[in-house]
Amino acid sequence: AGLTASGGTPFDTPMQHAVNWFEASRNDGQLVNRFNFFVTDGAPSSSSHIAAAEIASGLLDRTIPVDMWGININLADTQYTEYLHNMEAPVPVISGNNPDELATIIANAMISIFDANPAHIIYECLTDTDWGMGADPASIDTASFQSASARLFGENFGLFMQWTAQSSIEDFVNNVLEHAKGALYPHPRTGKMTLRLLRDDLVPANLKEITPDNATLTNFSRKGWGETVNEVVVTWTNPENEKEEPVRAQDLANIAQQGGIVSDSKNYHGIRTAELAARVAERELREASAPLCSCEVEVNREFWDITPFDGVRVTWPEYGLNELVMRVMKVNYGDSSSSKIRLSLVEDVFSLPLASYVPPAAGEWQDPAVPPAPVTQA
């Protein structure tokens, strides 16, 4: 803006202009990312840093706040710049002889805006008439995509992926779903393609119950501790050098239980930040480290509208299950010749503290063994 200043380093002058600039775009719904970079090579004049901080506080009072970076050039004392810095990382101090340092900080700070929302990626794959599947938007449950998109945005869950036409779009979409832990399926009520995320969103009291009265249990198993994993290594892509890097998540209690590390690896190349990779590693570890039970059941048409990632309560006295919360992972709705619906269920990892198990009834057998008695001498 061609601003000039005299008489020292007034922090409040540029901050007032920054607030005015952001205020002008406050109601612009297209601007979903806002950044403010405050760069200085000198300490503030008198107490202008206090005035600047009060002005800057207005930037945080927004539906979409501003990421504020304070940056020092050849100035080791960062105490005053901290007033205009709201990031977890400390105020960086860079050399005035190397402008690339400043460019790198700004680029890394803004890199998240180049990541795409997984829900948007999938929708584009389904509807694009040039390279995508060209599906009619009317055949898609837009509300489910919007809900998933908002949830992923709130989680700051962005992906950077490219479809090179070397695999099918279906495989590419499944890869995106694996990154975001989601499911795409035609809803039995509407027939529209629906997007659902696996998240902690179940209310046990509102779930349908599966019992021997309305279902047939065809398979049941529970992992032993020896079948669980206590370390997950997630590989992500570092955008600074486009090389894959690993992050690790460990369950120390499981390691103590098994007496060693049992590791598994996941390649989520679409993730471009270490922070998101760490969260995804914790997500994968939470499921892999728990001795969850799984089963397959055939239910009646009472469950005709069940969908993937829906929750159910399972009560099955034979296996000691009492209203155990489980997730529907796969659904086979059958055909006109069969009235049965086949479900693949897995214990809901989010509901582990709520799990209740009833010990099976003891049998009537009695152990004939008795404690040894002293030998009687004749």
Side-chain angles (χ1 to χ4, degrees), residues 39 60 66 72 84 125 133 150 157-158 160-161 167 178 224 257 266 268 283 308 322:
V39 185
L60 303 179
V66 176
N72 279 10
L84 307 177
C125 289
M133 299 180 65
F157 201 117
F160 192 97
M161 305 176 69
S167 62
E178 186 177 357
Q257 175 73 22
K266 300 284 186 179
Y268 290 130
R283 180 194 75 188
N322 181 32

Side-chain angles (χ1 to χ4, degrees), residues 68-92:
M68 296 171 54
W69 284 82
I71 303 173
N72 279 10
I73 299 178
N74 297 333
L75 181 63
D77 187 358
T78 63
Q79 62 173 315
Y80 301 111
T81 320
E82 287 283 0
Y83 283 85
L84 307 177
H85 183 84
N86 68 351
M87 310 306 297
E88 292 185 5
V91 171

